[in-house]
Amino acid sequence: CSLAGRAYPLGNIPEDLVPLVKNQVFEFLIRLHSTEAPVDEEVYPYVRTLLHFDTREFLNVLALTFEDFKNDKQAVEYQQRIVDILLKVMVENSDFTPSQVGCLFTFLARQLAKPNNTLFVNRTLFDQVLEFLCSPDDDSRHSERQQVLLELLQAGGIVQFEESRLIQMAEKAEFYQICEFMYEREHCYDKIIDCYLRDPLRKEEVFGYIHNILSIPGYSTEEKRSVWQKAMKHVEELLSVSPSKAADLISVHFSDQIEQIIQNLQDQCLLFQFLKCLLDPREGINQDLLQLSPSVTEQFIELLCQYEPDQVLETLQFLEVYRLEETIQVVEKYQLHEASSYLLEKKGDIHGAFLVMLEWLQSKLLTLTHEDEKSTEVPSLKNIEDTLGKTIALCQRNSHNLNQQQREALWFPLLEAMMSPQRSSNSAVLWLYSDFLKNLTMQVLNNMAAFIALPLILQRILQVSC
């Protein structure tokens, strides 16, 4: 307030005292030493104290003061004097942080950028502060240093630097936001993709950047093409950053290259994640944008068999573009019985679907009764009951559309499969699992009674018992 000719906190200083007050305040600020200063006191203690207390706010006050002094010749002289002192105090001392030094040079850049500027600052000092902020030998305060330099450039300080050297130093210091700022000025939009991918804090922002360049008007055809080509070159890296975001970007802007991208991907795990994001409707990709051949879907199913076998059946139920015969071969290769049965049933081979489930159930029953000596893992009773339930459901779904002979070909082998363990010679097995096996057999009998005449069922039971 005093420097601007106003009283603090309110009102104005009498006009005849304004020059005197300004002079006194400036003289106080720029004193070389304080009154009765100790021998070891550093020069300009008052400016130093205010800078240490709150650098940004002190410089803001000076900036506001400079605005009020446009037509005051003495004040202009004071401005140059205090700027020289600020530089001496901050640049020649190591007890100020990069942020504080950056504040000073941002303040200076703003003053120098004004059309009526009268200040002089040696350009070499800007080179020194660039060296200071980009020092590759000091990893501390990396984000702070970069942000300070970015503010300095945005404030108009860029005119103080040789641009090619600035980019070189920013790259060396891994100041990727600075590189982006410079590449943006030069319309080198493709190089900005590298800035995002190399910056651990901003990697995922690369997808929004690429999308904006390729979809927002205002960029030339050549600029869009260079970004498109750079993105294609870095597809694998984009997928490793975020498979879902990469798949979304590819489906929108690279849809006609998807199959080529799939062929070129060497990392099978990455390929699986990519195909899952593309083909699983729950991932939110607009399937209408994709025109994929059945072989791509089958490739995804095979990878799913390897990485997430428990998800194969559910995935098959909502996938549409695949060939049945080829897909059946894939799931049979990985011995996914339930998925195989589902596909055989979908094909119309009900008996084949049933046999797959029956064999799966029988193998579990053999293991339970310790008659399958090769197996090392005994299935849980719940597991066996679930498998039987799925087999019964298969028979029920299809019995309505089968003739008597075809129904018997389903239900009677299932009944025999459940009765067989109860004739085991292993008395310990019978003692442990007798009630469990009887209950499962009753489930079969109760369900088959709706499709097979009771006398026929009794006749078959007698035949099996004998």
Side-chain angles (χ1 to χ4, degrees):
C1 284
S2 300
L3 292 174
R6 293 189 293 274
Y8 180 83
L10 298 169
N12 294 307
I13 299 171
E15 282 191 29
D16 57 329
L17 292 178
V18 168
L20 177 63
V21 171
K22 287 182 182 180
N23 189 289
Q24 288 178 340
V25 172
F26 261 122
E27 288 296 337
F28 173 81
L29 284 175
I30 64 176
R31 278 184 193 169
L32 191 63
H33 285 290
S34 59
T35 308
E36 300 179 2
V39 178
D40 59 348
E41 181 184 72
E42 295 183 281
V43 294
Y44 307 111
Y46 301 133
V47 166
R48 190 181 303 276
T49 299
L50 289 167
L51 285 168
H52 274 300
F53 180 69
D54 192 332
T55 309
R56 189 178 295 272
E57 202 53 49
F58 178 45
L59 294 172
N60 283 342
V61 167
L62 291 180
L64 290 170
T65 304
F66 287 5
E67 283 294 316
D68 289 330
F69 289 172
K70 290 175 183 174
N71 300 314
D72 187 329
K73 186 178 178 182
Q74 184 186 30
V76 168
E77 294 173 3
Y78 273 125
Q79 285 175 6
Q80 184 65 55
R81 177 78 177 123
I82 202 165
V83 163
D84 292 340
I85 291 169
L86 289 170
L87 288 166
K88 182 172 181 61
V89 168
M90 295 191 78
V91 175
E92 293 180 9
N93 285 270
S94 59
D95 56 346
F96 288 96
T97 67
S99 184
Q100 289 172 314
V101 175
C103 279
L104 170 62
F105 279 86
T106 299
F107 160 77
L108 294 175
R110 289 196 177 111
Q111 298 305 314
L112 295 171
K114 290 178 180 177
N116 57 347
N117 169 59
T118 57
L119 290 175
F120 169 77
V121 178
N122 190 335
R123 189 165 176 167
T124 305
L125 292 173
F126 279 91
D127 285 335
Q128 288 176 8
V129 83
L130 179 63
E131 291 276 357
F132 171 64
L133 293 174
C134 293
S135 171
D137 299 325
D138 183 5
D139 292 331
S140 67
R141 301 176 181 268
H142 182 273
S143 296
E144 178 188 332
R145 288 170 178 267
Q146 176 171 222
Q147 189 58 39
V148 163
L149 183 53
L150 188 60
E151 287 180 16
L152 171 55
L153 297 177
Q154 290 170 338
I158 193 165
V159 298
Q160 308 297 329
F161 302 108
E162 201 271 300
E163 294 192 14
S164 61
R165 181 169 179 269
L166 175 59
I167 290 177
Q168 184 181 9
M169 294 195 68
E171 286 177 344
K172 192 173 181 181
E174 298 181 356
F175 284 177
Y176 299 117
Q177 290 182 54
I178 304 299
C179 295
E180 179 186 353
F181 177 83
M182 299 302 295
Y183 293 144
E184 182 85 31
R185 286 170 55 86
E186 297 174 0
H187 302 281
C188 297
Y189 303 109
D190 56 322
K191 291 184 178 180
I192 294 176
I193 293 174
D194 292 317
C195 294
Y196 282 107
L197 289 174
R198 291 175 189 166
D199 190 340
L201 299 177
R202 302 192 307 149
K203 275 190 175 185
E204 290 209 20
E205 294 178 29
V206 70
F207 301 103
Y209 176 78
I210 295 171
H211 174 73
N212 287 343
I213 297 292
L214 296 179
S215 56
I216 294 176
Y219 298 99
S220 71
T221 304
E222 184 54 42
E223 288 166 350
K224 287 175 183 280
R225 185 186 296 114
S226 66
V227 167
W228 191 92
Q229 290 172 341
K230 176 59 74 76
M232 276 293 292
K233 184 179 177 182
H234 288 286
V235 161
E236 193 154 341
E237 194 171 353
L238 291 170
L239 282 165
S240 66
V241 173
S242 173
S244 59
K245 290 182 179 179
D248 189 43
L249 181 75
I250 290 167
S251 69
V252 174
H253 297 290
F254 304 85
S255 58
D256 56 344
Q257 296 291 317
I258 288 178
E259 297 207 14
Q260 186 62 48
I261 290 169
I262 291 168
Q263 288 178 18
N264 292 340
L265 278 174
Q266 300 298 312
D267 187 321
Q268 292 295 292
C269 183
L270 211 55
L271 175 59
F272 167 60
Q273 292 175 315
F274 176 44
L275 290 174
K276 186 178 181 182
C277 292
L278 278 181
L279 297 170
D280 190 335
R282 293 167 295 187
E283 296 290 335
I285 299 289
N286 185 350
Q287 299 295 310
D288 295 335
L289 296 172
L290 308 176
Q291 293 183 342
L292 301 176
S293 64
S295 62
V296 172
T297 310
E298 291 150 21
Q299 187 178 4
F300 166 55
I301 293 168
E302 177 149 16
L303 290 167
L304 193 67
C305 292
Q306 297 173 44
Y307 290 101
E308 295 180 9
D310 293 343
Q311 298 298 313
V312 172
L313 177 62
E314 185 182 353
T315 304
L316 287 171
Q317 289 168 344
F318 60 70
L319 284 177
E320 295 179 0
V321 186
Y322 59 84
R323 295 165 295 182
L324 276 171
E325 289 294 346
E326 286 77 359
T327 309
I328 288 169
Q329 290 176 24
V330 169
V331 295
E332 285 179 346
K333 174 183 171 183
Y334 293 93
Q335 298 183 333
L336 299 179
H337 305 89
E338 198 174 351
S340 297
S341 177
Y342 168 79
L343 291 170
L344 287 165
E345 184 180 3
K346 187 174 181 179
K347 178 187 170 186
D349 184 0
I350 307 306
H351 195 257
F354 168 73
L355 287 177
V356 170
M357 294 299 291
L358 181 66
E359 288 172 12
W360 192 28
L361 176 64
Q362 286 174 321
S363 69
K364 291 183 179 184
L365 291 169
L366 281 172
T367 306
L368 180 71
T369 56
H370 305 295
E371 292 181 21
D372 184 356
E373 296 177 358
K374 296 177 184 177
S375 179
T376 57
E377 190 175 325
V378 178
S380 69
L381 300 185
K382 179 74 168 59
N383 190 303
I384 293 172
E385 189 171 9
D386 286 347
T387 305
L388 176 63
K390 290 167 183 175
T391 310
I392 289 173
L394 170 67
C395 295
Q396 285 178 319
R397 276 195 307 273
N398 294 284
S399 287
H400 297 286
N401 302 317
L402 301 176
N403 61 36
Q404 183 65 30
Q405 186 179 358
Q406 291 169 328
R407 290 178 191 174
E408 291 177 8
L410 299 184
W411 289 105
F412 283 155
L414 182 58
L415 177 62
E416 290 169 16
M418 291 313 307
M419 292 177 66
S420 179
Q422 298 174 62
R423 299 195 304 275
S424 171
S425 58
N426 189 332
S427 58
V429 169
L430 290 175
W431 182 80
L432 279 171
Y433 303 119
S434 176
D435 288 344
F436 171 71
L437 293 168
K438 284 177 182 177
N439 285 334
L440 295 190
T441 305
M442 285 304 299
Q443 285 186 37
V444 176
L445 286 167
N446 289 336
N447 283 284
M448 70 187 293
F451 304 101
I452 308 290
L454 190 57
L456 291 173
I457 297 174
L458 292 172
Q459 184 182 351
R460 181 53 68 98
I461 291 173
L462 290 172
Q463 288 174 352
V464 172
S465 300
C466 294

